[in-house]
Amino acid sequence: MNQLIVAMFAVSSVFAMMLWRHHRYLQTTARQTNNNGEVSGDQLLGTDSMVSNRPGAHSLVLINLTLITIAGLVYSQLGHFSNWNKGFENEHIDYLIVAQINKDRRLASEQPTNPQVLKDLAHSYVQGGLYREAVETFDQLLAITGSNAEILGLKATSMYYRDGRSLGPETMAVIEEALDLYPAELNTRLLLGTDAFIHSNFDEAIAHWQVLLTNDNQNFNRNAINNAITRAKIAKEG
């Protein structure tokens, strides 16, 4: 945010300097015209008095401060950190993602029992790398919806990244619950297949992704899964 303030100040300062230089140019031109004893077309139209009444340096400073204030207010509405909880896992979040998180948090505070609102908030947390907050939000969602394979799969995935790409006992318990409800659940099989591939367990990765291809209840890119299977087979042979 400090970098943004510096940038806003620099841009507004350049803008103010341009106005000041233009003002000085008009004053110089007016003096030269008066010294030559000539009456310009602007004087005939009464605009010479307008030149003499243009804002001075103090007015330009006010313009500069006004520009910074307006920019700051716009930023505060789009995505600011003043209302943000401290101690994030990811402290360097794109301000657009922060803006979306703030928006979704406000909606969640207004509609705490709306499943879609909570799901959107959890997704925003994931986008920002705030997996701990995402897990907590998925828990709130599950308290409303009850056991749901898709939400459990999303929760398990957030737990996995929260724990540094580790499938601990707590995460495995959530995974088993999700697969008991729907063996081909998208997020769960993607997670298991990806983790297996990362650890060079290519047969296991292929098995998870092949099960995923039997999923007819959730939309996903089947070509991408087939390509992943092909890559795993090539890696296995290599």
Side-chain angles (χ1 to χ4, degrees), residues 11-204:
V11 171
S12 57
S13 296
V14 171
F15 181 68
M17 183 60 69
M18 292 173 62
L19 287 176
W20 173 247
R21 288 175 63 87
H22 182 64
H23 169 61
R24 297 293 296 171
Y25 170 77
L26 291 176
Q27 284 184 325
T28 302
T29 302
R31 284 196 297 268
Q32 290 176 348
T33 300
N34 291 334
N35 292 336
N36 293 332
E38 298 177 355
V39 179
S40 66
D42 287 341
Q43 288 174 307
L44 290 173
L45 293 174
T47 54
D48 183 57
S49 61
M50 293 172 60
V51 172
S52 63
N53 291 328
R54 288 180 185 275
H58 64 284
S59 298
L60 295 176
V61 171
L62 289 175
I63 292 174
N64 196 16
L65 292 175
T66 300
L67 289 172
I68 294 175
T69 301
I70 292 174
L73 289 173
V74 171
Y75 179 78
S76 68
Q77 293 300 315
L78 288 178
H80 55 88
F81 290 86
S82 60
N83 294 330
W84 199 246
N85 292 329
K86 297 180 179 180
F88 298 142
E89 295 175 14
N90 181 1
E91 296 181 354
H92 305 286
I93 310 174
D94 185 275
Y95 78 95
L96 291 176
I97 296 178
V98 172
Q100 186 62 48
I101 291 174
N102 284 335
K103 176 184 175 182
D104 290 339
R105 289 186 68 191
R106 285 193 294 269
L107 287 175
S109 65
E110 296 168 359
Q111 306 176 52
T113 60
N114 187 320
Q116 187 59 51
V117 169
L118 290 175
K119 188 175 181 180
D120 291 341
L121 175 58
H123 178 72
S124 295
Y125 280 140
V126 170
Q127 289 293 102
L130 305 179
Y131 302 109
R132 189 179 308 277
E133 288 80 357
V135 172
E136 293 173 355
T137 306
F138 282 127
D139 282 336
Q140 296 175 29
L141 185 55
L142 287 166
I144 296 172
T145 64
S147 294
N148 180 291
E150 179 183 2
I151 298 173
L152 287 168
L154 291 169
K155 177 185 174 181
T157 302
S158 296
M159 295 171 70
Y160 174 79
Y161 288 107
R162 178 199 65 185
D163 299 337
R165 294 176 180 268
S166 174
L167 289 173
E170 184 183 3
T171 303
M172 288 304 301
V174 176
I175 287 174
E176 291 174 4
E177 184 179 357
L179 295 182
D180 285 342
L181 293 171
Y182 186 41
E185 200 285 314
L186 171 63
N187 301 287
T188 309
R189 289 297 177 181
L190 278 177
L191 171 60
L192 291 172
T194 301
D195 182 73
F197 185 88
I198 290 174
H199 291 91
S200 300
N201 298 323
F202 302 119
D203 286 333
E204 183 180 346

Side-chain angles (χ1 to χ4, degrees), residues 213-230:
L213 289 175
T214 66
N215 184 329
D216 295 324
N217 296 335
Q218 295 170 285
N219 295 323
F220 59 94
N221 190 331
R222 294 180 179 275
N223 289 332
I225 300 302
N226 283 319
N227 289 337
I229 291 174
T230 299

